Amino acid sequence: MAGAPPPAVAPYTLLFDDDAGPGQGLPADLRAIYGGDWRMPAPPPGHPHTFTNFVVSHDGRISFDEPRRSGGGDVSRHAPHDTWLMALIRARADAILTGAGTLRVARRHRWTPWATFPAAEARLAALRAAEGRRSLPLLVIISGSGDLPGDTAALRVPGQPALVATTAAGEPRARAALAELPHVAYHVSPGASVNLAALLTELRAAHGVATLLSEGGARVYGELLAARLIDEVFTTHSPVVVGNRPPPAPPRPALVEGVAFSPDDPPRLRLLSLRRHGDYLFQRARVVG
């Protein structure tokens, strides 16, 4: 938005940038804050350009996994440069994907671009309009069981469309839980779990989703990696140490859970850029191979 003051964060310090690819870049005022550009590649054939965003502790954990303290904000300490970047990443997504577990934990959260940084709402709304995106991203919720909280605030944001991806067994339960929300659409997989490849194909073909942000947890990320459906990864490296519980208590989650890759052919990332503010590092990388 021409003439609008920038949000109240100091510029990031650019340490490294090796992204020479094509794609639509950021406006000058946002580049000035971000410390350089972020060019959005064209989507691959058949499904959206899919990226994810995590905050990770020094010891590789993404959550303290305590009651009412399981979100990424406790790992990032709600650092303004993390929440501003999260808002920018959301602003460039046609759809945001999350899991039912995240929805249950964050019942009051709204998956709008500016929910994490309200001061940037006007500027990020203008960015979405300039890039030809809908005013609000499509919210996509994965729930194989269909066990969804009907009272979540995320499904009651005026003007924000939503889609539940579930299974044939979970569909009746999901529809019953969300019966009072007629704006919710459904994607139904025939098997015992949600077919992520089929879901992303439908998002591209039927909903016009060219850019998809995954904000699912460690298991959703692992499934997307295993299906070779993740294109880029944004990671905030927080200086805090989360630690882990001694057995027999369940471990605190790491970045990838629920899948183990072969040492012969694990997914590999190529570093595209690295930024810093204070003791935090902000990494963008592309999944290769």
Side-chain angles (χ1 to χ4, degrees):
M1 186 164 62
V9 292
Y12 297 72
T13 299
L14 179 63
L15 302 177
F16 169 82
D17 191 345
D18 192 28
D19 181 14
Q24 186 172 17
L26 293 170
D29 59 336
L30 294 178
R31 288 200 309 269
I33 298 171
Y34 190 47
D37 210 351
W38 164 22
R39 287 178 288 277
M40 181 67 71
H47 64 83
H49 175 76
T50 303
F51 44 99
T52 190
N53 181 35
F54 280 98
V55 58
V56 182
S57 70
H58 168 74
D59 53 329
R61 305 284 168 184
I62 62 169
S63 173
F64 283 89
D65 195 30
E66 300 286 350
R68 296 179 297 279
R69 304 297 296 274
S70 62
D74 285 296
V75 180
S76 73
R77 318 312 289 172
H78 303 280
H81 282 76
D82 179 64
T83 55
W84 184 90
L85 182 57
M86 187 175 183
L88 175 64
I89 292 169
R90 284 184 176 185
R92 303 197 81 184
D94 292 326
I96 299 175
L97 181 151
T98 190
T102 303
L103 205 68
R104 281 191 291 271
V105 169
R107 293 190 181 218
R108 291 182 293 176
H109 187 68
R110 292 168 172 82
W111 270 264
T112 64
W114 33 86
T116 64
F117 206 98
E121 178 174 353
R123 185 63 193 89
L124 296 180
L127 174 65
R128 291 186 67 82
E131 294 190 339
R133 307 189 197 283
R134 291 177 293 198
S135 58
L136 290 171
L138 171 69
L139 177 62
V140 182
I141 303 159
I142 297 177
S143 175
S145 69
D147 183 13
L148 292 165
D151 60 348
T152 179
L155 291 170
R156 289 172 166 77
V157 177
Q160 184 166 27
L163 182 145
V164 170
T166 186
T167 61
E171 182 185 10
R173 186 180 294 115
R175 288 187 181 273
L178 307 180
E180 63 178 276
L181 302 173
H183 69 284
V184 177
Y186 293 86
H187 166 91
V188 180
S189 293
S193 61
V194 174
N195 184 318
L196 293 177
L199 171 62
L200 267 60
T201 297
E202 179 178 315
L203 290 175
R204 185 76 184 103
H207 298 275
V209 174
T211 56
L212 173 66
L213 168 62
S214 172
E215 288 194 13
R219 289 186 177 274
V220 172
Y221 181 39
E223 290 175 16
L224 288 168
L225 278 172
R228 301 294 197 253
L229 292 172
I230 286 285
D231 298 298
E232 291 189 354
V233 180
F234 289 83
T235 311
T236 296
H237 294 271
S238 170
V240 307
V241 180
V242 169
N244 205 6
R245 307 181 184 99
R252 287 171 166 170
L255 187 57
V256 175
E257 298 286 353
V259 59
F261 296 105
S262 165
D264 297 323
D265 185 29
R268 184 170 178 268
L269 275 63
R270 175 178 172 268
L271 185 63
L272 295 179
S273 69
L274 187 65
R275 287 164 171 79
R276 175 190 175 189
H277 190 270
D279 296 324
Y280 292 79
L281 291 173
F282 304 89
Q283 175 182 295
R284 176 184 169 218
R286 179 172 296 136
V287 180
V288 298

